[in-house]
Amino acid sequence: MQLTLWTYEGPPHVGAMRVATGMQGLHYVLHAPQGDTYADLLFTMIERRSARPPVTYTTFQARDLGGDTADLFKDSVRTAYDRFKPQAMLVGASCTAELIQDDPGGLARALNLPVPVIAVELPAYQKKENWGAAETFYRLVRTLAQPVERTPSARPRCNILGPTALGFRHRDDLREITSLLNRMGIDINVTAPMGATPDDLARLADADFNVVLYPEVAGTAATYLAKTFGQKSTRIVPIGMGATRDFIAEVAELAGIDATAVLDEANAHMPWYARSVDSNYLTGKRVYVFGDATHVIAAARIAQTELGFTVVGMGTYSREFAREVREAAKLYGVEALITDDYLDVEDQVASLHVELVLGSQMERHIAKRLGVPCAMISAPMHVQDFPARYAPQMGFEGANVIFDTWVHPLMMGLEEHLLGMFREDFEFNAAPSHLGTSPARMEAPVAAPALAAAAPTPAADTLVMDRPAESITAKGQPVWSADGEKELGKIPFFVRGKARRNTERYAAEKGIAVISVETLYDAKAHFSR
Amino acid sequence: MDGIAAIAPQAASGCGDAPVLKERGQREVFCGLTGIIWLHRKIQDAFFLVVGSRTCAHLIQSAAGVMIFAEPRFATAIIDERDLAGLADCNDELDRVVTRLLQRRPEIKLLFLVGSCPSEVIKLDLSRAAQRLSRQMSPAVRVLNYSGSGIETTFTQGEDACLASLVPELPVAADDAPADLLVVGALADVVEDQMRRLFSAMGIERVSFLPPRRSGDLPAISPNTKMLLAQPFLAETGRMLEERGVTRLAAPFPLGIEGTTLWLQAAAKAFAVPQSTFDSAIAAPARRGSEAVAKVREQMAGKSIFMFPDSQLEIPLARFLARELDMKLIEIGTPYLHRQHLASELDMLPAGTMLSEGQDVERQLDRCRDAKPDLTVCGLGLANPLEAEGLATKWSIELLFTPIQGFDQAADLAELFARPLVRRAKLRV
Ligand code: SF4
Ligand code: SF4
């Protein structure tokens, strides 16, 4: 048993749902109890989809258990087929149905439906969401992709593999990369899962190579396609300037074309922004990166080599890609943290004196608790991470978007200096002035029983410090003198929490009962790097 | 229990015996685990540990606002393949997890082990585990258990199961203890405070609430205790309290001016409060509330409404919408219809109201689309898709997360239904 406060990934059948919901003409029958229908809201509320996911749940109850759950499953498949008339069906079990061992695949096949029925076995007590997505996509491809007579074409053709429903910026990444490939003179044969029908999957082989946007989802299927149809795939994920250029070179080679023209992208503003003098203050900012493997590897490269930050720690919850993330971490001289326990991540962020966190919704919370700025780079995410505007992560426009979203939460250089020099200025509210959050609000604990997408964003004021107070007040622990507390208040908010903790730790270690202004500065000197 | 409403309904008609469409098919509802989202806020020193799968953990965090709380008072002990294969002893594992948890959260006084579908299917005996852990942790922490599993419970039935697990813990007051009033069902703190003031104005001072805000304040009960259910989904809790000798006061639920009046009146009668005292106690808030509701009625009168089953609040809500906002009820779905606890409510519904129990979501969607209601009340999974089809919707879950009971919340409750329509009228995009 694993004690879990928050989970980065859902169960594997949610991965299957992301594939099915991204596709058209496919219907998924899931043997599951009623509560599991919550997964619909991930799509309809968080991603704001305007249609229900194409999923039927059997919603068996305790009274069904002894007897007819298998019949209930068969009925559900038959009824769903009659109602939705899909080109193909997926069937499978959620965690509870896995325990009752009804064999959804066998039961569904016995119905002799006139369409392909693909059974996906997703071990729920072992695997998680991304694995489930990859396995489902692989099973679909394996069942549906057929050998084809190649369509003659003057231009090279590729498939784009990986984008799903509920993916971090998948919609916009797909648009960006499709347009990039088109400008390179490459046609798209099939994009999948997003937007593809089962019939489209049947003609995957009618392409020269595959572009794999998200290895977490499409890696397994791409390997199968390579083995079966000899299609090579891209290995580079085009997130960041450098990676996008490398990706273009890789694609050009696979397609046998010259792509130098697209390398010179007039709309790539990011390199100049990074070089312009106002970006000087970004140099060496201590950055922590956590999320899925693809985005973490890309983000670390951008942070270190394209923005001039220092990557002080990185890690992933994608255990399947632990090796790749470990390799990448070596480039920056850090050791990768591979975990799905967000408390481990929080400990690491707290101990590394981080100035910017790049992460998922979990890290957003960690960063808020610790008073550190944060930008989103990966799932899991919140409703606000599905922006209305075009905001890809991939390609040249993606690099522009990343520059803006990562730099925005930081204090601008001059502002930071002025704040440092004139901390007593009563008009300085100690947060980046363009973000408009007052420190008083940031510290106010408000119990907001909001629900998923109901509340817009947990702005700073919905953060709940649902823990014993940070300051140590128990007997035998140091207490703050009034002067010390006042001096602490002059420290910019984003390092104040750290200063408080460090000073208290220092005082405790030295046996100092009352923390004075002197103690604060002694501690600062003690911990300075 | 006699199952007969103590208070005569205003309308002689009603739905008391109306046939109910019973459906079986796909249910689009939460399981009982979801109750943890409000219960963990209500009882401030309690912690809810779900013993379940990653699905259970994902459900709570998705329904809870995708991590609004940096560290909430709930968690999941996720069963993994080692537990299933018997490589790890589930009880040892549970002890380990609980120990780690309580080390982290020393302020916790009451721990609920919450069963789920997986824990039930593998027949993990959480009641024995709770007893064992309670012994070990005593007196610092009391450990109780209940099931919030989706194979046993629907949404608010989780709260029922949780409160039912508290009933055996309630201290015994002396047999000759003076009569007292127990209000059962989690309410917003502000609502509780209002109720307490109203009871006090009527001269009923011995009032307690279940669940209490702190686990140490569990109310004592005696054969002289009378209870008012504040929520319509407390079948098991009500039954267990009656078994312990508590008398249930039959009443409609305190939603809307009428519901609140009759609910309070049930207590007034049981405690022999003089009519004049009662009238003067409620006069001011009831008038204020009615005036506020009247404003919303102007917008809502004649509008039709369709309710998908969700929380069991549907029938009292429908009664309020029909009688106080003059709305037209097309279909009122409820996951489960408890005829005894809802007797007074059913009598007050307009005759011929179409009630449905259980669900076949696809068929119900068909009916809803055919009926083209002005407003559809449904869960989060259905709301945006129906909006996209052109139907105005109200998320039902909000009704559990908002103070809606009592006189001063009646207009807020009405507003919740009015807002989607007002918004639609406003938008020009
Ligand atoms: S329905 Fe069962 S398995 Fe699903 S979340 Fe609820 S308790 Fe867990
Ligand atoms: S808002 Fe603040 S950070 Fe932004 S430019 Fe003005 S002073 Fe600088």
Side-chain angles (χ1 to χ4, degrees):
Chain A
M1 271 180 212
Q2 192 198 355
L3 177 61
T4 307
L5 301 183
W6 299 120
T7 166
Y8 281 95
E9 293 182 74
H13 71 257
V14 168
M17 284 183 70
R18 284 175 45 200
V19 170
T21 306
M23 287 180 62
Q24 311 281 327
L26 179 71
H27 198 88
Y28 184 18
V29 179
L30 185 65
H31 206 15
Q34 59 186 357
D36 292 10
T37 59
Y38 81 88
D40 284 356
L41 79 85
L42 303 171
F43 299 88
T44 63
M45 295 303 287
I46 297 182
E47 197 183 8
R48 295 191 184 86
R49 281 193 166 250
S50 58
R52 292 165 65 211
V55 181
T56 295
Y57 306 80
T58 56
T59 63
F60 57 85
Q61 294 179 288
R63 60 165 184 251
D64 302 321
L65 282 183
D68 52 358
T69 51
D71 284 341
L72 178 63
F73 181 79
K74 287 207 310 210
D75 280 351
S76 302
V77 175
R78 198 182 297 111
T79 321
Y81 175 76
D82 289 342
R83 181 175 275 269
F84 299 104
K85 293 279 177 332
Q87 292 172 14
M89 291 188 91
L90 272 180
V91 296
S94 78
C95 53
T96 308
E98 184 181 331
L99 298 172
I100 59 179
Q101 300 185 326
D102 271 339
D103 183 21
L107 292 171
R109 270 189 297 275
L111 293 173
N112 286 317
L113 295 178
V115 294
V117 174
I118 299 126
V120 276
E121 275 179 42
L122 308 173
Y125 298 91
Q126 209 180 329
K127 302 290 189 185
K128 287 176 286 191
E129 178 177 334
N130 279 333
W131 186 90
E135 174 70 10
T136 303
F137 187 46
Y138 161 69
R139 290 283 155 200
L140 285 166
V141 167
R142 205 191 143 105
T143 311
L144 298 170
Q146 303 295 326
V148 290
E149 185 109 347
R150 290 294 312 272
T151 316
S153 156
R155 287 166 45 114
R157 294 152 66 84
C158 71
N159 301 311
I160 300 180
L161 305 181
T164 62
L166 205 67
F168 184 67
R169 306 293 160 83
H170 287 196
R171 174 197 72 188
D172 296 346
D173 284 348
L174 179 59
R175 177 173 143 197
E176 180 72 14
I177 297 306
T178 303
S179 121
L180 176 69
L181 291 166
N182 289 341
R183 272 180 285 136
M184 291 175 71
I186 297 166
D187 290 336
I188 312 301
N189 178 48
V190 172
T191 296
M194 196 184 275
T197 61
D199 291 351
D200 290 333
L201 296 188
R203 51 189 189 80
L204 277 170
D206 194 10
D208 302 307
F209 63 99
N210 291 313
V211 168
V212 175
L213 292 189
Y214 309 102
E216 278 90 346
V217 176
T220 327
T223 307
Y224 170 80
L225 290 168
K227 226 172 50 208
T228 314
F229 304 114
Q231 290 169 330
K232 293 195 169 134
S233 343
T234 55
R235 310 218 150 268
I236 296 160
V237 177
I239 301 179
M241 281 304 297
T244 299
R245 290 197 185 107
D246 295 348
F247 171 81
I248 291 170
E250 185 185 35
V251 168
E253 181 158 340
L254 287 172
I257 53 172
D258 175 15
T260 32
V262 292
L263 280 175
D264 196 16
E265 172 60 65
N267 289 326
H269 307 298
M270 188 270 180
W272 166 243
Y273 275 44
R275 283 172 199 282
S276 81
V277 289
D278 58 279
S279 289
N280 246 310
Y281 76 100
L282 301 177
T283 316
K285 287 239 189 240
R286 298 168 63 82
V287 172
Y288 187 84
V289 192
F290 198 88
D292 70 19
T294 297
H295 289 92
V296 160
I297 293 170
R301 176 174 174 186
I302 300 168
Q304 185 94 6
T305 66
E306 300 179 13
L307 290 168
F309 294 144
T310 302
V311 174
V312 294
M314 63 189 273
T316 185
Y317 56 78
S318 314
R319 281 187 192 279
E320 294 84 4
F321 291 81
R323 194 171 48 80
E324 287 83 345
V325 175
R326 285 206 180 93
E327 286 296 308
K330 282 194 197 132
L331 299 174
Y332 316 109
V334 298
E335 200 183 319
L337 175 66
I338 313 296
T339 185
D340 53 11
D341 185 342
Y342 103 118
L343 296 174
D344 293 348
V345 180
E346 183 173 68
D347 285 349
Q348 206 171 57
V349 175
S351 68
L352 284 172
H353 301 187
V354 170
E355 289 167 282
L356 174 67
V357 175
L358 302 173
S360 69
Q361 174 71 6
M362 309 289 184
E363 284 65 46
R364 185 186 265 149
H365 275 281
I366 291 171
K368 251 185 226 159
R369 283 178 73 92
L370 301 174
V372 182
C374 176
M376 287 285 290
I377 61 158
S378 162
M381 60 231 144
H382 197 265
V383 61
Q384 68 180 342
D385 301 308
F386 290 91
R389 67 174 190 280
Y390 180 53
Q393 298 288 290
M394 292 188 174
F396 294 122
E397 185 57 22
N400 294 339
V401 168
I402 284 171
F403 182 91
D404 289 348
T405 43
W406 296 11
V407 168
H408 177 85
L410 297 170
M411 187 90 58
M412 297 276 286
L414 281 180
E415 186 174 44
E416 189 177 298
H417 285 309
L418 285 171
L419 203 66
M421 285 174 71
F422 308 111
R423 277 172 200 162
E424 297 230 325
D425 187 319
F426 66 96
E427 289 193 299
F428 275 161
N429 75 14
S433 48
H434 58 267
L435 298 186
T437 1
S438 81
R441 284 174 68 219
M442 299 214 48
E443 280 164 14
V446 178
L451 69 146
T457 299
D461 56 348
T462 56
L463 169 62
V464 173
M465 296 296 192
D466 186 12
R467 242 187 196 182
E470 294 279 352
S471 57
I472 307 167
T473 44
K475 239 205 273 153
Q477 296 288 3
V479 293
W480 286 83
S481 69
D483 284 355
E485 189 83 48
K486 189 162 169 242
E487 196 71 12
L488 182 69
K490 298 176 191 170
I491 293 175
F493 81 99
F494 50 90
V495 285
R496 196 182 304 142
K498 189 169 76 185
R500 180 187 285 278
R501 281 188 300 277
N502 281 349
T503 309
E504 286 169 356
R505 196 167 93 208
Y506 175 83
E509 276 166 16
K510 300 273 171 210
I512 299 169
V514 178
I515 299 174
S516 64
V517 176
E518 287 306 304
T519 321
L520 178 65
Y521 285 108
D522 287 345
K524 179 171 187 274
H526 178 80
F527 286 108
S528 70
R529 33 183 159 99
Chain B
M1 274 203 318
D2 57 12
I4 293 167
I7 294 166
Q10 291 177 2
S13 49
C15 282
D17 313 311
V20 173
L21 174 64
K22 295 209 184 207
E23 290 219 283
R24 275 209 72 185
Q26 177 181 326
R27 297 163 69 96
E28 182 86 15
V29 283
F30 288 131
C31 59
L33 295 184
T34 325
I36 293 172
I37 298 165
W38 61 90
L39 289 169
H40 90 283
R41 290 283 129 198
K42 184 71 209 177
I43 316 176
Q44 292 163 21
D45 53 0
F47 195 98
F48 293 78
L49 180 66
V50 176
V51 183
S53 64
R54 189 167 304 280
T55 316
C56 308
H58 202 231
L59 159 99
I60 307 180
Q61 87 183 36
S62 305
V66 191
M67 307 156 242
I68 288 291
F69 305 112
E71 192 169 338
R73 287 187 296 269
F74 60 75
T76 309
I78 296 186
I79 299 169
D80 59 31
E81 45 175 351
R82 295 180 61 250
D83 303 311
L84 295 178
L87 293 176
D89 179 272
C90 281
N91 286 306
D92 294 348
E93 286 291 294
L94 201 53
D95 289 5
R96 185 179 56 77
V97 165
V98 167
T99 310
R100 184 174 165 212
L101 179 75
L102 293 174
Q103 273 165 0
R104 248 185 97 74
R105 305 295 298 261
E107 74 284 10
I108 296 304
K109 297 275 180 302
L110 174 61
L111 174 68
F112 289 100
L113 301 180
V114 187
S116 65
C117 306
S119 76
E120 276 175 27
V121 172
I122 65 172
K123 304 213 161 28
L124 189 56
D125 189 343
L126 291 184
S127 77
R128 276 187 40 209
Q131 281 168 18
R132 185 186 64 241
L133 284 161
S134 234
R135 271 197 307 276
Q136 283 169 20
M137 310 286 168
S138 160
V141 186
R142 185 93 187 87
V143 186
L144 299 178
N145 78 288
Y146 72 89
S147 170
S149 85
I151 54 177
E152 296 277 4
T153 60
T154 300
F155 196 26
T156 48
Q157 284 177 323
E159 176 176 329
D160 186 24
C162 172
L163 299 191
S165 79
L166 286 173
V167 173
E169 302 297 305
L170 301 182
V172 189
D175 269 5
D176 56 354
D180 63 337
L181 178 65
L182 179 64
V183 177
V184 188
L187 293 169
D189 294 350
V190 57
V191 174
E192 272 183 21
D193 295 343
Q194 283 172 16
M195 302 286 189
R196 200 182 276 283
R197 281 197 299 272
L198 285 168
F199 286 127
S200 170
M202 292 183 227
I204 308 175
E205 299 290 354
R206 301 174 52 87
V207 181
S208 42
F209 292 85
L210 185 70
R213 296 182 200 181
R214 302 201 71 85
S215 65
D217 299 337
L218 282 178
I221 51 173
S222 79
N224 301 321
T225 303
K226 307 187 189 317
M227 67 165 149
L228 267 180
L229 298 180
Q231 300 283 12
F233 42 74
L234 300 173
E236 183 63 9
T237 310
R239 191 187 61 77
M240 289 180 67
L241 282 165
E242 283 178 314
E243 266 178 24
R244 285 198 59 184
V246 173
T247 311
R248 180 174 72 90
L249 305 178
F253 292 90
L255 297 169
I257 304 301
E258 191 183 26
T260 305
T261 305
L262 293 171
W263 188 79
L264 292 169
Q265 198 171 52
K269 289 209 171 136
F271 285 79
V273 174
Q275 185 68 35
S276 58
T277 313
F278 175 74
D279 289 343
S280 68
I282 68 161
R287 182 175 357 93
R288 217 179 25 244
S290 305
E291 282 166 12
V293 169
K295 288 195 199 119
V296 189
R297 179 166 54 235
E298 283 166 26
Q299 304 160 21
M300 303 303 276
K303 297 261 184 337
S304 61
I305 189 159
F306 190 110
M307 284 195 196
F308 281 77
D310 194 56
S311 61
Q312 293 186 52
L313 278 165
E314 294 81 8
I315 289 183
L317 287 172
R319 180 262 303 156
F320 165 69
L321 296 171
R323 294 169 70 105
E324 295 186 45
L325 295 186
D326 293 340
M327 292 186 75
K328 226 168 74 201
L329 309 178
I330 296 181
E331 173 174 339
I332 304 306
T334 183
Y336 176 68
L337 182 59
H338 193 288
R339 285 192 173 271
Q340 266 172 332
H341 287 183
L342 286 164
S344 340
E345 293 284 355
L346 289 169
D347 286 344
M348 290 164 81
L349 280 180
T353 302
M354 152 99 169
L355 300 179
S356 60
E357 183 183 10
Q359 192 173 26
D360 178 329
V361 71
E362 302 294 352
R363 285 222 291 255
Q364 198 165 26
L365 281 166
D366 290 344
R367 291 198 299 276
C368 180
R369 290 181 184 115
D370 283 349
K372 296 198 184 53
D374 294 312
L375 188 63
T376 302
V377 183
C378 61
L380 295 170
L382 300 177
N384 263 337
L386 287 175
E387 289 279 349
E389 290 180 27
L391 294 172
T393 61
K394 161 89 230 84
W395 313 330
S396 41
I397 194 171
E398 212 176 352
L399 298 160
L400 270 304
F401 288 173
T402 316
I404 56 170
Q405 293 83 0
F407 292 125
D408 286 310
Q409 283 66 239
D412 299 344
L413 174 60
E415 278 287 347
L416 286 178
F417 294 92
R419 196 174 307 138
L421 299 179
V422 171
R423 183 167 176 74
R424 289 195 141 226
K426 258 185 133 120
L427 293 187
R428 293 281 178 276
V429 297

